[in-house]
Amino acid sequence: MDSKRQAGSLLLLLLMSNLLLCKNVASEPICPNRSGCQVSLRELFDRAIILSHYIHSLSSEIFQEFDAQYSQGPGFFTQAISMCHTASISTPAGKEQAQQIQQKDFVILVIHLLGSWTKPLSHLITEARRLPKAPDALIAKATEIQEQNQRLLEGLKKIGKLVDPEIIDNGNYAVWLGLPSLQSNDLQSLLFAYHNLFRCLRRDTHKVDNYLKFLKCQIAYDGSC
Amino acid sequence: MKENVTSTMVFILLLFLNIRLLNGESPPGKPIISKCRSPEKETFTCWWKPGTNGGLPTNYTLTYYKEGENIIYECPDYNTSGPNSCYFNKKYTNLWTIYVIRVNATNNMGSNASDPRFVDVAYIVEPNPPQNISLEVKQPEDRKPYLWIKWFPPALVDITSGWLILQYEVRLKPENAAEWEVHFAGQQTHFKILSLYPGQKYFVQARCKPDHGFWSKWSPVTSIEIPSDINMSDTTMWIFVAILSAVICLVMVWAVALKSYSMMTCIFPPVPGPKIKGFDSHLLERGKTEELLGAFGCQDFPPTSDSEDLLVEFLEVDDSEDQQLMPAFSKEYPGQPVKSRRLDLDNDSGHGSCDSPSFLSEKCEGPWANPPTFHTPEVIKKLENLEANITCTWDPQTKSTKDKILYFHANGFRSSTWPLPQPTQHNPRSPYHSIAEVCKLAEDPRAALATVLHKASKDALKSSKTTETGEEKKAVEQMEVESFTSKTGQDTAWMLPQENASFISAKPLDYVEIHKVNKDGALSLTPKQKESIDQTEKPRTLEIIKEYAKVARVMENNILVLMPDPRAQNIALFEESAKAAPLSFQQNQAEKDMACFPTTPSNFRLQQDRLDYLDPASFMHSFHG
C-alpha cells in the first residue's frame, strides 16, 4: 500500500512538475491582448534596424580609416588584438545559439551590449584629440555613433516593454577600463589602444545589427520573414 | 691515403647532394592562404595555394587557434570544399571570434608554414549566386508588355530566420549589345523590365549580397527571346492623341482665319498716319508750294492785292446788348482781317450740340437740309480735303471744354447772300473746314471764305442779317468765335472760308469786348471802340495774336476784355477778336486749339506795311512757339 501511495504521489509530483516545466519552456506569446501591439512592434523593429545598420556602417568606416591612416606597416596592428570589455556579456555566436535564447532575454542582452558603449564612446570623443594626424573626421563619426546609439537604446527599451511588460533592466553593463590606455604617452601603445577600441566597437555594433534583424523576424513576424 | 679517403668522401657527399638536387626534391614551398569565405554566416571555408612541393609528396595541414585561447586546432574537414581547402561547419564556426589560421606544408625534406591569417567569420560572408532564374514576357491587356524576371535565393542561405539579409541585383542585355544594363532589386526576388526591343534575344543574370558582406558571383546566364509581334507602344493612345490635336489645330486655324482681320486690328491697331487730303508729298519734295497748296484747295497764295473778288468782308460788330455781331462788309478793305467774334446765339435754332464745329453727329443734318446758295460747299469740300493733312496739333475731335474760334475771313465777299453755314453735311468736318478756310483765305483772299457750316453761324448770320445794314453783296462771313461749353465739348477753330463767294465787306471793326458767352457757347462781342481797321487781304483769323492785343481782364462768365494795341490798330480789332477768342478760350480752358491752327497761315503773306502783326513769322511763332 505504501509503495503504491508513494508511487502515486511521485507520479502526481512528476506530473505537476512536468506541467510547470512545460509551461516554463514554452515561450509566452508576445502581445497577447493588445491589438496594435504587433504592428507597432514591426515598426519599432524597422526603425531600430535602420539605426543599427547605420551605426555599424559608421563603425566599419572608422575602423578602416584608422587602420589606413595610422598603420606603420603590414600586420602592424595584429599585435594589438586584446580582449574587448564587453566579452563578459555572453552573446550567441551562431544562429542555433541565437535560436536558443529567450526573446525577452535577447532584448535585454542587446540593451546591455549597447549600453556598455556609452561611456567608452564619450571618452573616445574627448581623448581622440591626442591622436597625431588631425583626427577630426574620426571624432565626428564617433560623435555621430554616440548620438545614434542613444536613440537606439531608447527604441530598444520600448521594444522591451512591448515584448515583456515586466522587463527589468538591471543596468548590468560591461565596465570599461581602457581610459588610461587612451591617454598613454607611448605612440604605439596609444595606437594599439585605439585600434582595439575600434575593433571592438565594430564587432559589437555588428552583433547588435545582426541580433535585431534576427529578432525582428522572430518576434514581429513569428519566425518567418 | 687519408687524403684520398677524405676527398672521396667529400666527393661522394657532394654527389649525393647533387643527385638529390638533380632529383628536384626539396622542402615544400610556402603555402599561401588565398581565401576564406562563409556562404551563409553559419559555416566557412578557407582555401590555400600550395607552394612548390619540392618534388616530394607534400602534406598540407591547417591549424588554427581562436582569439583568447591557447589551444591549437586542426582543420576538421579537408574534403567538403575541395582540394586545398578546409571546411568549418556550424559546430566549429563562431562568429565574432578571430581565427588565426595557418597552413603547413610538409614533405620528406621539410616543412613550410604559411603566414597566419586572421579571420573573423562575420566579415567574410559571400553568398552563392541566386538560383533558378526564370524569365517570362508578359503582355497584360491595356498595359505595356514587360519582361518578368524571377529568381530564388541561394540554396544554403536561410532567409526566413532573418539571420542573413540578402539584397539582389539583376543585369540584362540584348544579344549583340556590348554593355549590361544593371538594376538593383533590393530584397525582392523578382523584377520587371519595361524597355525591350521586340524580336531580340536577351541575356539575364542575377547576384546577391548580404547586408554587410561581399557580392556573390553572377548567376549563369539565362536567355529569352522577345517575340517580334509584341506591341511595345501604346499606339492606339497615340493615334487618338494625334487625331485630337489635329482636330484642335484645324479648329484654331479656322477660327483665326475667320477673324483674322479683327484679330489683327485688335493686336495691331492701325496707326493713323498724318494725312492731308489732297496732299501730295511728292509735291512737297519738289518744293512747289503753289502746287502743294493747290492741293489743299488754296489758290494763289500769297494773295494778291488786286483781287477784287477777294474782298474781305468785315464783320460789323454791333454794340447792342444783344450781342449780335453783324459782319460788316466793305469792299474797301480787301483783305481785312476778319474779326472773330463770338456770336451770341440766343436763338435756339438747333444750336445745341450742333454748335460744335466738328459735327460728327448726324443729328445735325436735319436742320441743314437746305443749304444756302452759297459757295461754301466747294470751299468746304476743299476744306474737307485738308482734314487730316493739316499738321495741326489741335485735335478737332477733342471734346470737352475747348473753345473754338471761328474766324470769319471777310475778304470782300461778293455774294449777296449771307453765307450760311452749310448743313450738317459739312458740319462734321468743321474743324477741318477752318483749316481749309484759313488756307483759302491765306492763299486767295478772293477765294474768300466759306462760311462755317455751323448752326451757330447760321443763326449768327440770321441775326446779323437782321441787323445788317443792308449792304449788298454781303456774304456773311461769319467769324464765329465759338466757345463751346463743356457740354458740347468740342473745340474747333473755325474759319468760314468762302470760296469765290460773297465776301463780307466789313465795316471798320472796333475793338470788341467779349461780352459774354451764351449758353450755346457763342462768344458775344461788343465793340468797345471804333477804330479804323485795315483790312488785310488775308484773314489772319488763325493767328493767335498775343502780340497785338492785350487782354485787359477776364471777367466772369468768360468775358474777355481786350485792350487795343496801338501798334496794331488796323487789324487790331481783328487781331484782338481773333486773339481774344483764343485767349478767351485759353482763359476758358482751351489750350490746344490755338495751337491748332493750320500751318497755312505761314503762307500768309500779309503785307508788311499794314499788317506787321500779320507777319507769318509771327504766325509761326505764335502757332508753333
Side-chain angles (χ1 to χ4, degrees):
Chain A
M1 277 301 263
D2 284 334
S3 62
K4 275 189 181 173
R5 268 189 201 165
Q6 281 177 1
S9 60
L10 198 63
L11 200 63
L12 197 63
L13 204 63
L14 269 172
L15 203 65
M16 291 297 290
S17 63
N18 258 350
L19 284 170
L20 287 167
L21 280 170
C22 284
K23 194 179 176 200
N24 277 342
V25 166
S27 60
E28 293 176 6
I30 304 290
C31 301
N33 295 325
R34 289 177 284 174
S35 58
C37 171
Q38 199 75 6
V39 173
S40 58
L41 258 182
R42 288 184 188 178
E43 288 175 1
L44 284 170
F45 265 111
D46 285 338
R47 286 186 216 165
I49 282 164
I50 290 170
L51 282 172
S52 65
H53 188 99
Y54 179 53
I55 289 166
H56 176 65
S57 306
L58 286 173
S59 304
S60 280
E61 285 175 25
I62 283 188
F63 179 77
Q64 284 162 9
E65 285 169 13
F66 180 84
D67 269 14
Q69 193 170 3
Y70 294 96
S71 177
Q72 295 176 1
F76 173 72
F77 284 117
T78 55
Q79 308 161 32
I81 295 170
S82 61
M83 211 165 66
C84 298
H85 71 287
T86 51
S88 59
I89 301 173
S90 63
T91 55
K95 187 176 81 172
E96 284 75 18
Q97 292 179 28
Q99 285 168 338
Q100 302 290 326
I101 302 176
Q102 292 275 337
Q103 289 165 358
K104 59 182 180 198
D105 295 334
F106 216 146
V107 176
I108 302 255
L109 176 79
V110 176
I111 291 174
H112 285 173
L113 204 53
L114 268 177
S116 303
W117 278 99
T118 309
K119 278 190 184 168
L121 277 172
S122 60
H123 285 296
L124 172 72
I125 290 162
T126 53
E127 300 294 333
R129 294 186 194 93
R130 295 164 183 267
L131 285 171
K133 296 178 195 174
D136 297 330
L138 216 123
I139 295 171
K141 282 190 178 137
T143 313
E144 179 74 4
I145 292 170
Q146 173 77 303
E147 275 181 42
Q148 303 303 328
N149 246 19
Q150 294 307 114
R151 295 174 61 194
L152 186 57
L153 265 175
E154 292 169 17
L156 278 175
K157 285 175 183 171
K158 286 184 193 167
I159 290 173
K161 283 277 192 297
L162 280 180
V163 168
D164 184 10
E166 296 154 17
I167 201 166
I168 298 170
D169 181 14
N170 54 9
N172 192 13
Y173 302 146
V175 179
W176 181 65
L177 302 170
L179 183 58
S181 59
L182 289 187
Q183 297 163 335
S184 169
N185 293 323
D186 178 31
L187 179 65
Q188 190 180 34
S189 52
L190 187 72
L191 291 178
F192 279 10
Y194 276 101
H195 171 88
N196 202 52
L197 193 66
F198 290 136
R199 182 184 69 87
C200 295
L201 179 66
R202 176 171 92 144
R203 167 184 291 178
D204 285 346
T205 52
H206 192 269
K207 279 185 188 175
V208 166
D209 186 42
N210 211 117
Y211 294 155
L212 286 177
K213 286 169 180 170
F214 177 74
L215 279 176
K216 178 186 115 174
C217 287
Q218 299 297 311
I219 295 175
Y221 291 88
D222 282 336
S224 62
C225 280
Chain B
M1 281 301 280
K2 278 185 185 177
E3 293 167 355
N4 279 345
V5 172
T6 314
S7 60
T8 310
M9 287 284 286
V10 165
F11 178 71
I12 290 167
L13 208 63
L14 280 171
L15 205 61
F16 249 6
L17 282 168
N18 281 340
I19 288 167
R20 289 193 74 135
L21 283 169
L22 286 170
N23 286 341
E25 294 176 2
S26 63
K30 189 176 182 179
I32 297 171
I33 298 173
S34 58
K35 191 175 170 183
C36 291
R37 283 291 180 265
S38 168
E40 76 287 79
K41 217 194 299 186
E42 295 174 43
T43 66
F44 75 104
T45 307
C46 278
W47 293 269
W48 66 85
K49 282 186 191 165
T52 58
N53 60 359
L56 292 170
T58 311
N59 200 8
Y60 293 95
T61 58
L62 189 141
T63 56
Y64 67 93
Y65 64 94
K66 292 196 229 174
E67 169 195 353
E69 294 177 6
N70 292 326
I71 305 167
I72 296 182
Y73 303 93
E74 192 176 342
C75 172
D77 188 338
Y78 285 103
N79 301 320
T80 308
S81 297
N84 298 327
S85 72
C86 179
Y87 173 73
F88 296 81
N89 60 14
K90 293 181 187 179
K91 185 178 161 192
Y92 293 99
T93 304
N94 290 339
L95 266 63
W96 303 295
T97 308
I98 295 181
Y99 286 69
V100 185
I101 299 171
R102 292 183 94 147
V103 173
N104 299 315
T106 314
N107 65 4
N108 294 340
M109 295 294 295
S111 65
N112 215 337
S114 67
D115 291 331
R117 188 169 174 111
F118 298 85
V119 174
D120 191 334
V121 180
Y123 307 125
I124 56 163
V125 182
E126 180 188 327
N128 292 328
Q131 57 186 4
N132 292 349
I133 298 176
S134 68
L135 302 175
E136 186 183 348
V137 177
K138 293 196 175 179
Q139 298 184 0
E141 297 178 6
D142 300 334
R143 296 177 84 171
K144 287 186 69 174
Y146 58 89
L147 176 66
W148 177 251
I149 306 175
K150 193 148 173 51
W151 60 86
F152 290 93
L156 300 172
V157 176
D158 180 9
I159 298 294
T160 58
S161 64
W163 188 250
L164 187 62
I165 309 285
L166 287 180
Q167 295 171 327
Y168 301 96
E169 212 174 59
V170 296
R171 70 177 187 182
L172 76 158
K173 70 167 184 174
E175 186 173 11
N176 300 322
E179 290 187 1
W180 290 89
E181 181 186 329
V182 181
H183 299 277
F184 183 73
Q187 294 182 19
Q188 61 191 19
T189 56
H190 52 82
F191 201 75
K192 207 189 268 189
I193 301 284
L194 293 167
S195 58
L196 295 171
Y197 295 107
Q200 292 248 357
K201 187 176 179 184
Y202 274 87
F203 297 138
V204 178
Q205 285 184 308
R207 66 175 183 177
C208 56
K209 166 184 162 332
D211 47 358
H212 301 287
F214 300 98
W215 280 105
S216 71
K217 292 186 177 13
W218 285 104
S219 66
V221 172
T222 43
S223 62
I224 188 168
E225 185 95 21
I226 311 292
S228 310
D229 60 346
I230 63 167
N231 187 14
M232 283 307 297
S233 60
D234 302 318
T235 48
T236 51
M237 186 194 79
W238 287 114
I239 287 168
F240 176 72
V241 168
I243 290 171
L244 191 66
S245 51
V247 165
I248 290 170
C249 281
L250 280 173
V251 167
M252 283 175 61
V253 164
W254 175 71
V256 167
L258 273 184
K259 301 203 174 170
S260 60
Y261 178 70
S262 59
M263 278 174 61
M264 288 306 289
T265 53
C266 182
I267 297 169
F268 303 109
V271 177
K275 193 180 176 191
I276 302 171
K277 270 194 182 173
F279 185 77
D280 190 356
S281 57
H282 297 301
L283 290 178
L284 188 64
E285 288 166 7
R286 278 186 275 152
K288 300 196 173 178
T289 54
E290 292 82 7
E291 295 172 12
L292 186 70
L293 291 173
F296 286 125
C298 298
Q299 298 166 12
D300 289 346
F301 181 86
T304 55
S305 57
D306 59 341
S307 55
E308 294 184 0
D309 304 339
L310 206 65
L311 293 177
V312 177
E313 300 190 359
F314 294 92
L315 290 174
E316 184 173 329
V317 179
D318 185 41
D319 63 342
S320 69
E321 285 303 317
D322 287 334
Q323 307 107 13
Q324 301 290 341
L325 288 177
M326 298 294 296
F329 303 108
S330 161
K331 293 186 184 180
E332 305 168 7
Y333 306 101
Q336 279 201 0
V338 176
K339 183 183 343 187
S340 64
R341 63 189 170 98
R342 290 177 179 268
L343 295 178
D344 181 19
L345 303 168
D346 285 330
N347 305 331
D348 70 336
S349 55
H351 267 283
S353 59
C354 292
D355 280 351
S356 104
S358 60
F359 284 149
L360 296 175
S361 58
E362 294 299 313
K363 61 185 174 183
C364 296
E365 280 191 308
W368 309 103
N370 300 319
T373 58
F374 214 59
H375 298 277
T376 53
E378 209 177 343
V379 176
I380 288 161
K381 280 179 187 168
K382 292 194 180 176
L383 290 177
E384 293 169 12
N385 293 337
L386 291 174
E387 277 187 11
N389 295 344
I390 304 270
T391 59
C392 183
T393 59
W394 152 60
D395 179 11
Q397 312 268 345
T398 54
K399 318 281 192 247
S400 81
T401 70
K402 277 190 186 173
D403 300 327
K404 307 219 171 176
I405 301 175
L406 286 179
Y407 288 96
F408 294 147
H409 301 276
N411 278 338
F413 291 159
R414 295 248 178 110
S415 69
S416 55
T417 60
W418 285 92
L420 292 175
Q422 270 300 2
T424 54
Q425 64 197 37
H426 300 284
N427 291 334
R429 297 180 186 73
S430 50
Y432 307 108
H433 287 180
S434 60
I435 296 167
E437 291 165 8
V438 172
C439 172
K440 286 204 75 60
L441 290 169
E443 202 180 343
D444 185 8
R446 296 177 304 165
L449 314 158
T451 56
V452 174
L453 305 177
H454 195 272
K455 215 173 182 179
S457 59
K458 178 184 177 183
D459 294 337
L461 283 170
K462 287 181 183 172
S463 57
S464 61
K465 239 184 192 170
T466 58
T467 59
E468 195 180 10
T469 54
E471 296 170 348
E472 290 188 358
K473 293 190 178 184
K474 293 181 188 171
V476 176
E477 178 178 299
Q478 300 180 2
M479 272 187 62
E480 180 176 337
V481 176
E482 297 178 0
S483 66
F484 294 91
T485 59
S486 55
K487 66 181 176 184
T488 60
Q490 289 180 347
D491 313 320
T492 30
W494 281 95
M495 279 196 313
L496 297 175
Q498 193 161 11
E499 173 196 19
N500 298 325
S502 57
F503 289 95
I504 303 170
S505 56
K507 289 182 182 174
L509 297 172
D510 297 334
Y511 281 103
V512 180
E513 175 179 332
I514 298 172
H515 191 75
K516 74 174 185 182
V517 177
N518 71 343
K519 63 174 189 278
D520 295 323
L523 194 69
S524 64
L525 301 172
T526 57
K528 189 163 185 182
Q529 37 178 308
K530 302 252 182 217
E531 292 182 7
S532 63
I533 299 165
D534 290 343
Q535 294 188 356
T536 60
E537 290 179 353
K538 309 189 172 197
R540 354 154 255 97
T541 52
L542 302 177
E543 181 184 18
I544 306 173
I545 308 165
K546 299 175 190 175
E547 328 160 32
Y548 302 102
K550 296 176 186 176
V551 177
R553 64 179 185 281
V554 179
M555 297 168 59
E556 66 275 17
N557 298 332
N558 300 331
I559 297 174
L560 204 68
V561 177
L562 302 173
M563 296 292 291
D565 187 346
R567 184 166 71 95
Q569 292 257 334
N570 297 334
I571 314 177
L573 196 59
F574 282 92
E575 325 275 282
E576 289 175 6
S577 60
K579 194 168 76 169
L583 286 174
S584 66
F585 287 150
Q586 288 168 356
Q587 302 285 347
N588 295 334
Q589 317 156 17
E591 317 89 317
K592 283 203 237 175
D593 50 347
M594 289 308 108
C596 235
F597 288 99
T599 54
T600 50
S602 61
N603 295 324
F604 280 64
R605 300 281 188 262
L606 297 173
Q607 306 201 356
Q608 198 66 25
D609 54 350
R610 285 187 296 162
L611 306 165
D612 52 332
Y613 54 84
L614 290 179
D615 190 301
S618 63
F619 274 79
M620 294 294 293
H621 290 307
S622 60
F623 284 136
H624 304 291

